[in-house]
Amino acid sequence: MAEKLVLAYSGGLDTSVAVRWIQENYGYDVVTLTANLGNVDNLSEIRQRALESGAVGAHVADVRDEFIREFVFPALKANALYQGVYPVATALGRPLIARLMVEAARQEGATAVAHGCTGKGNDQVRLDVSVGALAPDLKVVAPAREWGMTRVEEIAYAKEHEIPVPSTLEKPYSTDDNLWGRSIEAGVLEDAWREPPENAYEWTVAPHEAPDEPRYVELQFEEGLPIALDGAEMEPVDLVETLSKIGGEHGVGRIDHIEDRLVGIKSREIYEAPAATILIHAHKALEGMVLTKDQVRFGETVSREYAQLVYDGLWFSQLREDLQAYVDSSQRAVTGAVRVKLHKGHATVVGRKSDYALYQHALATYDEGDVFDQSASPGFIHLWGLPIRTQARVRPEE
Ligand code: ARG
């Protein structure tokens, strides 16, 4: 009896071809696994296609809730943005997919897993490394790294093996999406000088075509996580989906970035991430109200390191877990509300309030009710400037 392998299966051309290719070249019985992270609405059709492509079994799972609660929201608390701009949407999805692959492999008694990533990207690294972290005994097969087929050859292979070819073949871009964002690469986007054509975008309207009237959203946070939108409490998936739609209608969340991949390549990446953009802005604004300046500064360092680890496929590393523990603890006072104005591509924080605000009107005001003691300032400044005055006195002549 052949050994079993679990293949992460999207239902696209690459993974449909991979089912048969793995059987032919490695001799495994292939079981597929398809997960909905907000990007798949026809799980049962995909399951059917997997079986028609030659899979001996097909697992499907709607994991939107787990994705948001266990991966996206922890990263939101850390304000995770790779290179300061990319909300690491795809990077957050991979460890979850790896975990599902490992779970399916255990259920099936499989000895290997496989994915359709090429050898040029980040996702192969994330999946391989994450599977290794959870199940170092499983072998990982990546046919698209090995087979060297062009797109045309893949189609020919599919026809020859009577594999149903998906209808959505002639797409001008390579895309990936989940609830936290959409990534668009390749085609004309590879010309870094050229503005992305409108047809690259699916979630956002062009900012200049967005409504003239601004839309205000009020977000309620509790310990660093959003729990209500415009006064209505919402489940995480619902809140992110709704905010994504509203943001998209106002052209919010388009990102155009020259990104440093793990494998040393710089690539031109376009993203649409309306919900992530709004939530990270709002979350940071609330932190600014309730954290001390030292917490804010240290948080920026943690945020950068955290985003780098997630991008680099090290979600399951102990360092990411330890940073998470700091981040989670730092959120104890991040409770309050933020008002964000969405207008023609911009998401601007225009209001914030919290019971734990360190912003105190009585200390800040220049008007009536000021409690700040200005007579303490000269003494403070005298000591603050002591080192630099001392240095000025003993400094050698230039
Ligand atoms: N560059 C992003 C990342 O590495 C997105 C990659 C998504 N893949 C795609 N085929 N568009 O996380």
Side-chain angles (χ1 to χ4, degrees):
M1 208 181 79
E3 287 184 20
K4 275 189 187 170
L5 169 148
V6 172
L7 167 69
Y9 181 79
S10 69
L13 178 65
D14 293 341
T15 50
S16 295
V17 167
V19 175
R20 180 59 61 85
W21 191 90
I22 289 168
Q23 287 166 349
E24 276 194 342
N25 291 270
Y26 281 89
Y28 288 108
D29 278 345
V30 176
V31 176
T32 61
L33 166 87
T34 308
N36 175 19
L37 284 72
N39 48 340
V40 188
D41 53 15
N42 53 344
L43 278 176
S44 54
E45 259 173 60
I46 292 183
R47 185 171 185 283
Q48 202 49 43
R49 186 179 309 149
L51 298 172
E52 283 165 17
S53 300
V56 300
H59 295 228
V60 295
D62 182 349
V63 293
R64 288 175 300 161
D65 194 61
E66 284 152 270
F67 178 51
I68 296 293
R69 286 178 200 271
E70 295 175 42
F71 295 85
V72 170
F73 277 6
L76 168 61
K77 290 193 218 169
N79 299 315
L81 292 171
Y82 179 62
Q83 299 191 316
V85 297
Y86 164 43
V88 290
T90 296
L92 287 167
R94 300 310 176 186
L96 172 54
I97 293 169
R99 192 173 81 188
L100 296 166
M101 288 161 83
V102 169
E103 282 165 9
R106 294 308 188 218
Q107 274 174 34
E108 294 282 346
T111 54
V113 295
H115 58 72
C117 304
T118 72
K120 286 185 77 169
N122 297 317
D123 290 328
Q124 53 164 347
V125 183
R126 296 171 182 146
L127 289 173
D128 289 20
V129 168
S130 297
V131 168
L134 299 174
D137 56 296
L138 289 178
K139 185 177 156 66
V140 184
V141 178
R145 252 185 336 220
E146 297 177 22
W147 63 35
M149 283 191 274
T150 63
R151 203 119 181 107
V152 174
E153 286 161 354
E154 281 183 53
I155 294 168
Y157 183 96
K159 297 230 160 94
E160 184 190 322
H161 292 81
E162 290 173 5
I163 299 164
V165 177
S167 54
T168 49
L169 272 182
E170 275 326 312
K171 283 192 300 183
Y173 309 108
S174 158
T175 63
D176 180 70
D177 70 276
N178 60 44
L179 287 168
W180 203 228
R182 174 167 184 267
S183 138
I184 314 108
E185 301 174 324
V188 296
L189 303 175
E190 288 173 358
D191 179 351
W193 179 245
R194 179 166 170 182
E195 182 175 0
E198 255 332 285
N199 72 359
Y201 299 104
E202 286 184 4
W203 290 11
T204 55
V205 304
H208 71 272
E209 277 166 12
D212 291 330
E213 273 305 296
R215 165 75 148 93
Y216 290 85
V217 289
E218 184 181 319
L219 289 159
Q220 177 72 37
F221 286 86
E222 202 172 279
E223 295 188 11
L225 293 180
I227 54 159
L229 174 59
D230 291 335
E233 290 202 11
M234 280 172 125
E235 292 299 308
V237 169
D238 224 20
L239 188 141
V240 170
E241 277 177 347
T242 307
L243 202 53
S244 193
K245 191 166 163 291
I246 300 172
E249 286 164 5
H250 290 270
V252 167
R254 292 186 173 189
I255 298 155
D256 179 343
H257 178 220
I258 296 296
E259 180 170 296
D260 286 285
R261 284 193 193 162
L262 263 153
V263 294
I265 302 170
K266 279 190 188 288
S267 70
R268 204 280 185 90
E269 302 282 333
I270 303 300
Y271 298 106
E272 295 179 279
T277 301
I278 297 166
L279 285 169
I280 292 172
H281 263 70
H283 177 256
K284 271 193 192 169
L286 186 56
E287 286 191 330
M289 282 290 271
V290 302
L291 300 182
T292 64
K293 74 173 176 188
D294 291 335
Q295 287 178 299
V296 169
R297 188 186 64 247
F298 188 63
E300 283 165 2
T301 300
V302 172
S303 175
R304 195 167 39 242
E305 295 298 322
Y306 183 104
Q308 183 81 48
L309 292 175
V310 172
Y311 187 85
D312 287 351
L314 299 175
W315 176 267
F316 293 113
S317 66
Q318 293 187 12
L319 180 54
R320 204 279 309 164
E321 289 169 5
D322 292 345
L323 292 183
Q324 192 75 59
Y326 169 76
V327 166
D328 291 350
S329 165
S330 75
Q331 301 298 298
R332 56 174 99 65
V334 188
T335 295
V338 181
R339 254 156 58 82
V340 187
K341 178 179 179 174
L342 310 177
H343 190 230
K344 299 220 175 264
H346 298 280
T348 314
V349 172
V350 294
R352 60 298 256 168
K353 64 177 178 189
S354 168
D355 290 344
Y356 308 116
L358 304 179
Y359 170 82
Q360 298 273 316
H361 184 264
L363 285 172
T365 187
Y366 287 100
D367 298 331
E368 205 80 350
D370 182 6
V371 301
F372 185 85
D373 177 7
Q374 299 197 28
S375 72
S377 288
F380 164 73
I381 295 166
H382 183 73
L383 296 186
W384 179 250
L386 180 60
I388 204 166
R389 287 199 309 276
T390 306
Q391 200 166 46
R393 287 201 184 94
V394 304
R395 180 178 291 159
E397 301 275 321
E398 301 252 314

